Amino acid sequence: MNERPADPKTVLLRRGEVHSPADPFATAMVVERGQVAWVGSEGAADAFADGVDEVVDLDGALVTPAFTDAHVHTTATGLARTGLDLSAAPTREAALDLVRDFAAARPGDRVLLGHGWDAARWPGGRPPTRAELDEATGGRPLYLSRIDVHSAVVTTALLDLLPDAVAREDAPLTGDDHHAVRAAAFAAVTPAQRAEAQRAALAHAASLGIGTLHECGGPRISSEEDFTGLLRLAAHEPGPRVVGYWAEQSDEGVAKARELGALGAAGDLFVDGSLGSHTACLHQPYADADHTGAAYLDAAAVTAHVIACTEAGIQAGFHAIGDAAVTAVTEGVRAAADKIGLTRVRAARHRVEHAELLTPETIAAFADLGLTASVQPAFDALWGGADGMYARRLGPERARALNPFAALLRAGVPLALGSDSPVTPLDPWGTVRAAAFHRTPEHRISVRAAFTAHTRGGWRAVGRDDAGVLVPGAPADYAVWRTDELVVQAPDDRVARWSTDPRSGTPGLPDLTPGHDLPVCLRTVVGGRTVFVRPSE
């Protein structure tokens, strides 16, 4: 991880609530040279007041570690903010109207980019046809990714820019065809547009109290120029830290990841696709399709990649959603451990992104192999439940097994929380809420556990055990929040009652019960440098 110069200023924050295991009743904190120097009580803060460069009166606000979003596509997130957002379109007709308006408003764009359509929520369940999109755009190149980013609809004009090998049937493009059209669409984005999108995404993240993003790039997702440009921008401009992962296989992937400045040959190295696009790889067929999805990598390929990464001293990581894909990962990592040693494999902290459909056997394998589960609780909030997309794809009973956060934690599997933005929005407190109030009650975890997975868990996932928590010596990455009374929320009420007893020494967090307002970020600080201040605060 690239470290920027620390802010030399010494700052005292006081008269608030500081969320710190160093002192569960802390109301003040001192930051010096980009690190937390002291955490304690208001009375003791007086001793520091004359020796600091700045005093921040918190006026009762809450200070927490800044969030880490462990799975982001930063440029795509920025383009979704500056491009066409179809996530709120209630019908296919409404989506087409939005396409028409967008095309009319951007006559100079070489390619029109949009994201977020979800035909599963529309009456009739049908995506736009190519003819409908051709008409709506006036025959211009258009790329519209589905909400899960594993399929897309496009216009004829965009297909005309590609080789004839790309499928032309009138259906959403998946697999290699989708990767080809996405590459063509994003290649038409100018460097200036790309940098604008990256700045927009990073600024938005900072405004939400996010101090670090894990960028999941790769040759089937973005481009080398996009990836290195983002890392340069984040290293030289104020804003969240960016940790880069480059998803390319085996020896060549390891070399490329090193060359590009990535922490690992990991992230979205696809073992399968997604449930929404019927490309997640399953042991049993879909409930609404007569196949089991797509397998892009087998266990042997996983083994080769894990060995290459482990021997090179970098992380391996895989995108795996369906139970067959997760099984391929665990079998592949197990075979690697048998060849080069379990201790070496565990020490490397390899990752699995999404890890949605697991079995007791694969959960146990995650724990034994030291795999980090990089998960997205908002997926359950968006697609879970008896009437959700998951239930339509798998049937209600099988869908109840998805995203078993509590079972993972009970087994000792490290969790790192993220959004997969732009698949679901950057929304850290909403993510914590989604984990704590999972649609399947047995998968719920405490707010404290989810918060830890979204702060310290993200740092641990990149090999840092000394960060993501406000204790002396830790990086001064923190956020200041306006929120209501602090509470302790856990799935088991007996645990919650004990945790609020002063004898437990458990620091409280905002009440995230659905329907309650989420905390509002007032300030975000990264390495002691302020990267966001809410206007008028």
Side-chain angles (χ1 to χ4, degrees):
M1 184 188 301
N2 293 328
E3 295 289 346
R4 288 170 285 188
D7 191 326
K9 287 197 305 183
T10 301
V11 179
L12 168 65
L13 299 92
R14 63 186 309 180
R15 294 185 61 242
E17 300 280 350
V18 180
H19 186 87
S20 171
D23 182 345
F25 309 108
T27 60
M29 181 171 76
V30 173
V31 171
E32 186 176 19
R33 291 190 292 274
Q35 292 185 322
V36 177
W38 172 84
V39 175
S41 66
E42 182 60 32
D46 289 335
F48 296 95
D50 293 335
V52 300
D53 301 308
E54 180 183 0
V55 176
V56 176
D57 186 342
L58 295 169
D59 191 24
L62 171 67
V63 182
T64 71
F67 286 99
T68 292
D69 192 309
H71 192 118
V72 178
H73 305 286
T74 307
T75 303
T77 296
L79 290 171
R81 292 187 64 79
T82 59
L84 175 58
D85 181 1
L86 295 174
S87 60
T91 64
R92 182 181 67 258
E93 293 77 16
L96 288 166
D97 286 341
L98 289 170
V99 170
R100 289 188 189 91
D101 293 344
F102 186 71
R106 302 183 76 92
D109 287 3
R110 289 188 287 179
V111 62
L112 300 168
L113 299 173
H115 170 73
W117 61 270
D118 186 1
R121 296 191 298 108
W122 294 343
R126 177 175 72 78
T129 66
R130 190 160 301 142
E132 289 170 336
L133 294 172
D134 288 345
E135 182 277 327
T137 60
R140 296 169 62 190
L142 168 75
Y143 169 85
L144 294 179
S145 55
R146 189 186 180 279
I147 190 168
D148 60 5
V149 201
H150 282 270
S151 59
V153 290
V154 301
T155 55
T156 303
L158 182 58
L159 286 178
D160 288 342
L161 302 176
L162 290 152
D164 291 337
V166 174
R168 292 194 170 236
E169 65 266 18
D170 196 5
L173 298 171
T174 61
D176 289 341
D177 291 332
H178 174 227
H179 299 146
V181 296
R182 177 167 58 188
F186 279 77
V189 175
T190 66
Q193 286 175 302
R194 187 168 61 228
E196 176 192 21
Q198 291 169 348
R199 288 189 178 97
L202 293 174
H204 182 54
S207 76
L208 298 171
I210 297 171
T212 302
L213 303 173
H214 296 182
E215 166 67 13
C216 292
R220 302 177 75 179
I221 301 164
S222 53
S223 69
E224 295 178 20
E225 294 77 16
D226 179 281
F227 187 78
T228 55
L230 172 64
L231 295 185
R232 281 195 304 272
L233 186 149
H236 292 102
E237 296 186 11
R241 305 172 192 265
V242 176
V243 179
Y245 287 100
W246 183 255
E248 196 166 349
Q249 271 184 267
S250 300
D251 293 336
E252 296 80 5
V254 169
K256 182 60 68 174
R258 285 192 181 285
E259 177 188 336
L260 299 180
L263 189 68
D268 273 332
L269 185 53
F270 296 118
V271 179
D272 68 345
S274 73
L275 291 165
S277 292
H278 289 101
T279 51
C281 191
L282 308 174
H283 285 305
Q284 301 297 324
Y286 284 86
D288 59 351
D290 60 355
H291 62 82
T292 57
Y296 302 136
L297 295 178
D298 60 13
V302 170
T303 300
H305 188 64
V306 170
I307 290 173
C309 289
T310 304
E311 291 185 336
I314 68 172
Q315 284 180 292
F318 305 91
H319 163 121
I321 287 179
D323 51 0
V326 174
T327 296
V329 170
T330 55
E331 289 179 350
V333 179
R334 175 71 66 193
D338 290 343
K339 291 182 179 179
I340 61 174
L342 177 60
T343 300
R344 291 181 68 192
V345 167
R346 288 178 60 88
R349 302 192 189 189
H350 302 308
R351 301 171 51 138
V352 183
E353 310 299 319
H354 316 308
E356 291 201 75
L357 188 55
L358 298 103
T359 64
E361 293 75 21
T362 52
I363 291 172
F366 269 52
D368 187 45
L369 296 166
L371 296 174
T372 295
S374 171
V375 297
Q376 294 74 42
F379 288 5
D380 173 73
L382 183 61
W383 297 315
D387 299 320
M389 181 271 287
Y390 286 155
R392 292 194 293 277
R393 293 291 184 267
L394 301 179
E397 190 57 37
R398 196 162 38 146
R400 285 179 62 85
L402 286 161
N403 300 299
F405 305 138
L408 286 162
L409 282 182
R410 283 196 302 270
V413 177
L415 294 185
L417 269 54
S419 63
D420 199 7
S421 180
V423 176
T424 63
L426 297 172
D427 180 14
W429 285 113
T431 296
V432 173
R433 171 186 279 173
F437 294 92
H438 197 296
R439 289 177 179 270
T440 304
E442 58 263 36
H443 298 331
R444 293 174 179 171
I445 60 178
S446 69
V447 167
R448 183 185 180 194
F451 176 80
T452 299
H454 212 354
T455 50
R456 196 170 192 178
W459 283 91
R460 285 173 167 167
V462 298
R464 290 280 300 271
D465 294 330
D466 61 339
V469 61
L470 299 180
V471 297
D477 288 23
Y478 62 90
V480 180
W481 307 92
R482 181 170 63 238
T483 188
D484 295 328
E485 181 183 3
L486 305 182
V487 299
V488 175
Q489 291 177 292
D492 187 329
D493 182 57
R494 293 170 300 172
V495 175
R497 285 200 303 272
W498 163 246
S499 297
T500 54
D501 188 302
R503 291 171 296 171
S504 74
T506 303
L509 285 166
D511 187 347
L512 301 185
T513 304
H516 285 218
D517 290 338
L518 293 174
V520 175
C521 184
L522 304 180
R523 180 185 296 257
T524 304
V525 176
V526 176
R529 295 183 182 274
T530 299
V531 298
F532 168 77
V533 177
R534 182 161 296 280
S536 78
E537 298 293 345

